[in-house]
Amino acid sequence: MPRGLRTAAVWLAPALLTLVVTGTGLTGAQLWRDELATWSAATRSVGDLFRLAGTIDAATGPYYLLMHGWVALAGDSVAALRLPSVLAMTGAAALTAVLGRRLVGARTGLLAGLLFALLPGTSRYAQEARPYALATLFAVLATLLLVEALRRPGWARWAGYAVALAALGLTHLVALTLLAAHAVAVLAGTGADPAGGPGRRRWWWLAAVAPALVLVAPLVLVARGQRGRQLEWVDLVRPVDLVTLPGGVAQSTAVGGLLVGLAALGAARLGRRALLPGCAVVLPVLLLFAAGLVVPLWVPRYLVFVVPFACLLAGAALAAVPLPGALGVLVLAGLLGLPDQAALRRTHEWPRSSRIDYRGAADVIAAGQRPGDAVVYSPRHSWLFLDLGVEYRLRDRTPRDALLVEGPARRGDLWAAECDRPAECLAGVPRVWLVVSGRRTDPVAAVTGAKGAALRDGFTVRQVWQRPGLTVALLTR
């Protein structure tokens, strides 16, 4: 085989495998709550997006803006919303292979990329309309460009690194913890051209990092002020969370354990050459863990971007054995992850037992609604996004939202404002479709406050449908 084809095969095989694996069953799981937030934001005007960023979710604002443009071109079907993440993970697999070839060798790069393609976590975040796949792509790209800039210094390579770093920060603020690993690589002179000199190398790196940090700084300040509201559901980190992290980012306890074991063997085999990929795994984890001891910030999926570097170390371990044995381990990893691969194509909720069947609720309403019907949601102001789930499915066929007084886009928020006098707002409504969270035998009793009182006083439950994670009831006067 010609040398050019051999070189291309190193990254092309992982890319194609990732594209096939992550594209399989792309629309199997319906949009879950975080993806519904993406859909809600991406379908707003640019002005509404900036208003949203000033209220909540500023850290995800650049991603929402990107998805706004994408939706305008490709539409907002489940496949269209998830396709950018599929392509990003495909690119990340290819770049992981290239980085492995640069740092260690072609076989290491190839095996690292193939292992990355087979991880359930790769499919999970490739099939999600959220920024984690893009962050993974930019993390590997920025690291690869850093390696190239250290080996062959030049303003163009350092400028490319600066752009990739800025993209990384705008996509996912937590991913900037990767800078700690890059700083170690620069100080240690990993793969650096000796003619460049350590002092000059450090100045080039600082000059590349500075504009990226300046660009991201306003986003950090706004997001910091929103942390209490954005992460109110997150607890302070515990030591046991470090133990469960591999299973969380790999979306499989067995595959995560295998990945950690292989990565440890690869690090031992590489010695000094493991410095950059090893630090790219360990330092972001430790920094987020340390921060999570003080403020609620520890969310395993925030660290998905370190997985390619763990795969690189694992690829180095696999490269030490004959190719048939290495491929056998890859097959084993794929088989171990099969149950999780199948499960994540049914639901994206975690734990999976907490699945919420928005589609089922919407189909019940669509099958039985009549002109003049209204819909009421409870709870309304929650991360379950019951209203978004029903509206995404029904679109303009959604019954009138009787209690709505101000929509999320107009409020610059993810939640709508409801009528403070529900009985008056429901006057004249003949039938109400009530959508409540959880499986309820008496759904009206689950509605609290004035809203619940108005429903109990003015309506009678005619029929109840229970779907995973929620209940739909038809109420009549």
Side-chain angles (χ1 to χ4, degrees):
M1 181 185 295
R3 182 178 179 183
L5 288 178
R6 289 200 304 271
T7 301
V10 169
W11 62 265
L12 188 58
L16 291 176
L17 181 60
T18 304
L19 187 61
V20 170
V21 173
T22 59
T24 301
L26 180 60
T27 60
Q30 57 184 293
L31 298 182
W32 79 300
R33 62 190 79 173
D34 282 14
E35 292 179 289
L36 289 170
T38 294
W39 170 70
S40 175
T43 51
R44 304 182 189 190
S45 69
V46 174
D48 287 340
L49 278 178
F50 277 98
R51 187 156 51 249
L52 173 66
T55 304
I56 192 172
D57 227 0
T60 319
Y63 172 74
Y64 289 156
L65 191 60
L66 173 68
M67 289 301 293
H68 170 81
W70 172 257
V71 165
L73 293 173
D76 63 350
S77 67
V78 174
L81 288 170
R82 290 173 176 169
L83 185 57
S85 294
V86 170
L87 298 177
M89 279 302 196
T90 299
L95 292 176
T96 298
V98 174
L99 180 62
R101 181 168 62 86
R102 289 281 196 278
L103 292 178
V104 185
R107 178 176 288 194
T108 293
L110 175 63
L111 294 171
L114 293 175
L115 178 60
F116 179 76
L118 294 172
L119 297 179
T122 299
S123 290
R124 170 66 175 79
Y125 296 104
Q127 295 189 351
E128 177 164 289
R130 296 299 286 176
Y132 309 116
L134 284 171
T136 304
L137 170 67
F138 290 131
V140 184
L141 176 61
T143 305
L144 177 61
L145 292 175
L146 174 65
V147 170
E148 291 298 318
L150 289 173
R151 286 188 173 185
R152 294 182 297 167
W155 71 267
R157 293 184 181 84
W158 283 111
Y161 169 69
V163 171
L165 204 59
L168 176 64
L170 291 174
T171 304
H172 189 29
L173 291 176
V174 172
L176 283 179
T177 54
L178 188 64
L179 276 174
H182 288 185
V184 171
V186 171
L187 292 173
T190 302
D193 179 5
R200 187 176 182 183
R201 181 172 63 242
R202 293 164 192 170
W203 280 113
W204 271 111
W205 181 72
L206 290 174
V209 168
L213 294 181
V214 169
L215 181 63
V216 173
L219 196 62
V220 174
L221 293 176
V222 176
R224 182 182 178 184
Q226 299 172 352
R227 187 182 62 223
R229 191 179 183 208
Q230 184 73 38
L231 297 173
E232 60 185 356
W233 54 276
V234 181
D235 297 323
L236 292 176
V237 72
R238 302 161 301 167
V240 71
D241 292 324
L242 279 177
V243 179
T244 60
L245 177 63
V249 295
Q251 289 288 289
S252 168
T253 302
V255 178
L258 177 64
L259 177 61
V260 169
L262 290 174
L265 290 174
R269 175 178 177 250
L270 291 179
R272 181 179 172 82
R273 288 184 296 172
L275 183 64
L276 176 55
C279 287
V281 174
V282 173
L283 293 184
V285 171
L286 292 181
L287 288 172
L288 190 63
F289 183 84
L293 293 171
V294 181
V295 295
L297 197 61
W298 179 268
V299 181
R301 62 178 176 268
Y302 290 176
L303 290 164
V304 169
F305 68 92
V306 308
V307 173
F309 306 106
C311 288
L312 196 157
L313 294 172
L318 294 174
V321 302
L323 187 58
L327 294 177
V329 175
L330 292 180
V331 171
L332 173 63
L335 292 175
L336 288 174
L338 271 181
D340 296 284
Q341 292 276 14
L344 67 87
R345 284 162 175 80
R346 292 191 296 268
T347 178
H348 285 178
E349 299 287 347
W350 189 263
R352 294 187 177 108
S353 59
S354 65
R355 174 191 173 204
I356 301 177
D357 189 8
Y358 302 103
R359 183 188 302 155
D363 290 347
V364 166
I365 296 172
Q369 68 173 313
R370 298 176 185 173
D373 285 359
V375 63
V376 170
Y377 305 96
S378 181
R380 187 60 178 266
H381 193 279
S382 89
W383 292 103
L384 298 179
F385 295 129
L386 297 177
D387 51 350
L388 296 181
V390 172
E391 290 166 13
Y392 178 79
R393 180 74 172 176
L394 296 182
R395 307 299 174 107
D396 57 359
R397 296 181 293 123
T398 307
R400 181 175 68 87
D401 193 338
L403 301 184
L404 178 70
V405 294
E406 191 174 28
R410 187 175 176 182
R411 292 187 70 210
D413 209 330
L414 292 173
W415 297 278
E418 286 195 330
C419 173
D420 57 3
R421 295 181 178 179
E424 294 181 11
C425 292
L426 289 169
V429 176
R431 305 199 316 168
V432 170
W433 293 95
L434 175 62
V435 183
V436 300
S437 62
R439 296 174 65 87
R440 314 280 186 176
T441 54
D442 185 0
V444 177
V447 185
T448 61
K451 180 160 63 174
L455 293 174
R456 284 186 289 273
D457 294 343
F459 297 88
T460 300
V461 177
R462 181 172 180 178
Q463 191 170 353
V464 174
W465 296 264
Q466 293 183 339
R467 295 294 181 265
L470 48 76
T471 301
V472 180
L474 175 60
L475 313 183
T476 58
R477 282 284 176 187

